[in-house]
Amino acid sequence: LPFHLFDSVDSQILNTIATNIWLNIFFFLIFVFFAFSFFGYYELTLPSSWANRMDDASSKVGGGLGIFFMAVTLAIVSFSCTGPILGGLLGSTVLEEGDVASNLTAGMTGFGIALALPFALFALFPAWLNSLPKSGGWMTTVKVVLGFLELALALKFLSNSDLVGHWGILKREVFLGIWILLFVVLALYLFGVFRFPHDGPKQKLSTGRKITGLLSVAFSVY
């Protein structure tokens, strides 16, 4: 919002920040932290009292303001799933080149619409609720796939620091080698070769999981 409301804010200041070695390392560590949360080694949650207060406010205040508090409650409750995605979106957008203000606006608008659209559709067509898939192992699989993607993106920030600092640690071959390894390991997970702590009982592999595993193998070969 500041980039749209105040002409004095120079959008290039974020590109200047993007070349900061320690900030890139910080984002690298944040992405790795988020990834291991997706892998199920720990859970990221906000205090339950926050959600309770927002929920109480939504019931006391009617109209559009009540809907706003309901949305805030949803955001707080779903933070463990959406936090890593939103943090990744902000980090990757802020540290990229080009029109940062427009890219950030597009990313945040897309995130907001994607989160709100299902609720709007289910409000218009309540019968669709009966066709929703039940929560379970498929959601865990989605989180693990996102975790591997976060690890892959984390390397971008470490690479930025390496290039600015002229360390020569993360050369192109090493970078690609780690990416290949990550997506091979992802494929092994999707094919059921190993499991993470929050995985449920072992079940028959779904078609979607097999297709995603094959795509991961194809990307590694590419």
Side-chain angles (χ1 to χ4, degrees), residues 1-13 101:
L1 286 176
F3 293 99
H4 293 288
L5 298 177
F6 305 106
D7 294 333
S8 59
V9 179
D10 182 13
S11 63
Q12 294 304 310
I13 190 172

Side-chain angles (χ1 to χ4, degrees), residues 148 175-188 216 220:
F148 276 101
F175 186 99
L176 292 177
I178 296 175
W179 264 38
I180 290 170
L181 182 61
L182 282 175
F183 285 96
V184 167
V185 174
L186 172 58
L188 292 176
S216 184
S220 298

Side-chain angles (χ1 to χ4, degrees), residues 1-203:
L1 286 176
F3 293 99
H4 293 288
L5 298 177
F6 305 106
D7 294 333
S8 59
V9 179
D10 182 13
S11 63
Q12 294 304 310
I13 190 172
L14 293 179
N15 291 330
T16 304
I17 296 173
T19 59
N20 185 285
I21 293 177
W22 301 112
L23 187 61
N24 275 279
I25 291 178
F26 172 74
F27 273 101
F28 164 75
L29 295 174
I30 287 292
F31 269 56
V32 172
F33 177 73
F34 283 153
F36 278 88
S37 169
F38 274 144
F39 291 154
Y41 290 105
Y42 41 81
E43 189 75 14
L44 297 177
T45 57
L46 294 177
S48 58
S49 59
W50 293 12
N52 294 334
R53 288 175 186 173
M54 292 299 103
D55 194 39
D56 290 339
S58 68
S59 61
K60 293 176 182 177
V61 181
L65 195 58
I67 295 174
F68 170 78
F69 282 114
M70 288 174 65
V72 174
T73 303
L74 170 67
I76 293 173
V77 171
S78 63
F79 176 78
S80 61
C81 292
T82 60
I85 300 173
L86 193 58
L89 169 65
L90 289 171
S92 58
T93 306
V94 166
L95 295 186
E96 71 181 8
E97 297 179 358
D99 188 353
V100 177
S102 297
N103 293 340
L104 193 59
T105 301
M108 295 299 289
T109 302
F111 181 85
I113 291 174
L115 198 62
L117 187 59
F119 294 93
L121 292 175
F122 288 133
L124 292 172
F125 308 101
W128 287 6
L129 284 168
N130 297 326
S131 63
L132 277 177
K134 303 298 181 183
S135 60
W138 68 272
M139 183 62 74
T140 299
T141 303
V142 170
K143 290 177 70 174
V144 170
V145 171
L146 290 173
F148 276 101
L149 293 178
E150 294 252 352
L151 284 181
L153 290 173
L155 288 176
K156 172 186 179 295
F157 299 107
L158 187 61
S159 176
N160 288 345
S161 297
D162 184 64
L163 290 172
V164 174
H166 302 290
W167 300 332
I169 300 173
L170 201 62
K171 295 181 180 179
R172 184 173 183 272
E173 294 79 5
V174 177
F175 186 99
L176 292 177
I178 296 175
W179 264 38
I180 290 170
L181 182 61
L182 282 175
F183 285 96
V184 167
V185 174
L186 172 58
L188 292 176
Y189 168 79
L190 291 171
F191 289 132
V193 176
F194 69 95
R195 299 154 63 77
F196 281 105
H198 62 359
D199 282 324
K202 196 167 185 179
Q203 298 177 345

